[in-house]
Amino acid sequence: MRNSPSKNEPGAGGGHSRNFTNWSPFVKSYGFGISPNRSYALLSLLTLLIVGAFISTRILLDPTALLEKEAVPTKTITHTIFPKYPPPTSVTTQSPKPEFTLHCSSANDTTNGTCPKNNYPATASFEEDAPTATCPDYFRWIHEDLRPWAKTGITREALERAKKTANFRLAIVGGRVYVEKFRDAFQTRDVFTIWGFLQLLRKYPGKIPDLELMFDCVDWPVVRALDFAGADAPSPPPLFRYCGNEETLDIVFPDWSFWGWSEVNIKPWESLLNELREGNQRTSWINREPYAYWKGNPSVAETRQDLMKCNVSEEHEWNARVYAQDWIRESKEGYKQSDLASQCHHRYKIYIEGSAWSVSEKYILACDSVTLLVKPHYYDFFTRGLVPAHHYWPVREHDKCRSIKFAVQWGNSHIQKAQDIGKTASEFVQQELKMDYVYDYMYHLLTEYSKLLQFKPEIPQNAMEICSETMACPRSGNERKFMTESLVKHPAETGPCAMPPPYDPASFYAVEKRKRSAATRILQWEMKYWNKQNQTGS
């Protein structure tokens, strides 16, 4: 790996369980001597008393006996893995939390470029030292991403060197956001990324420290580790972006699509995640198409064009169904064929990178289908927490078709194991990648980053103050719709999850070894399968 892990000991997780004892009534029989001279009336009376007592006792000791006669509505209580956001256990009558919506002027729905004064709380009310759940394990990579500056800190000079490719500089000073724009980004990537920063400050007002950072919205990481190796090398420029790889030192950050991708009608993550959950329930895994599915833009990368060769044809059946996505046509037809929640109808879904990493990975993982992950070259902020054969099935990059065919063949022959992989991935996305944790990741990353700054953050000379109103109010269409939908309307009532410690060397290499071993084992199965096919001529 490009960074060596620290020597801090990792934390350990815990949990609670509840044991229930089933009680069965003990019934004791008594004998009654009945004289033949007893009257029939007495016999009938005793019979009625015995039957009545039996029925009354059963009802008292076994309330379920009433269920067949009394339609009592029942409520299913679901339990989350992480206790930070538990379901309510009782009905309360407290007043609903006040919501703080956008303050747009009534004249032309703009604020003339100035942030209005409003009554949004200046600070969150939760206690700083209140106990919280530990963050998901992938948060530990924050320590690794910031390790290049652990000894030297981040100087003003190093920050300015990051300006070379950055789209904008963002400063947080006194709980307010200032942006200095250098160059346009593709589509509205920069717009919704900045919007994400603003919502973080609304979720945790008064809790985000002063800082300055540079953000590059282009896919490819550019801070090469080799350029900053050696004792006399300068410290690398701290540059934020959406993805990284093993040869670079760019700091990975949640991408813009968590707040919506307006150009292709992809909704903000919080509402889309609910739709994906509902979409999973429409068709059970066993009743889905027993093939691997992919739909996307093949023109952005040669590896995707190569994937198109795996489609079914007269010569081959590779167990794949792949389709080219025409976004221009989709936009004209109202995006009827690109609804992500309606694409969970195959047992297997393929993830393949485009020109670099792709935002589609989280949507694919959320589908309950087995994710067939073509060997990636990039990672985003959460994917380093995924494990082969546990969250996904690895696919060879240079022999995709045969690798996909084997994966589908294996899954259809190991139904329960395949379902478990798909379910584990979707549970990871639903539970550990919920929007609360996206914000918590941002919170911890920015907090740790600010501790490294060797200078006092300032308002850049050419920067403009940005707030939710100046961004959302002048906009229309999907941009306005998605911003309104993803607006944080009140501060958090609990603090962020507790940051896990850095990896120590032993645990770091144990994680990496587990990933390599699982991938190697699957490759061996695949090679054995194809060797047997070649021998039999099938």
Side-chain angles (χ1 to χ4, degrees), residues 447-468:
T447 299
E448 296 302 314
Y449 169 83
S450 69
K451 295 175 183 178
L452 298 171
L453 298 182
Q454 302 296 302
F455 58 90
K456 183 180 179 180
E458 301 174 347
I459 301 174
Q461 185 175 359
N462 299 320
M464 291 182 58
E465 183 180 0
I466 302 291
C467 59
S468 296

Side-chain angles (χ1 to χ4, degrees), residues 113 115 168-182 194 197-198 201 210-215 457-467 470-471:
C115 292
F168 62 85
R169 181 204 307 265
L170 185 140
I172 299 175
V173 179
R176 304 180 81 88
V177 177
Y178 304 86
V179 174
E180 179 184 9
K181 186 174 179 179
F182 302 131
I194 296 169
F197 278 97
L198 292 171
L201 268 66
D210 288 1
L211 57 86
E212 289 182 52
L213 60 83
M214 300 286 187
F215 207 107
E458 301 174 347
I459 301 174
Q461 185 175 359
N462 299 320
M464 291 182 58
E465 183 180 0
I466 302 291
C467 59
T470 58
M471 292 205 73

Side-chain angles (χ1 to χ4, degrees), residues 27-41:
V27 180
K28 188 174 183 178
S29 301
Y30 292 88
F32 292 89
I34 308 293
S35 170
N37 297 325
R38 297 284 185 177
S39 68
Y40 178 78

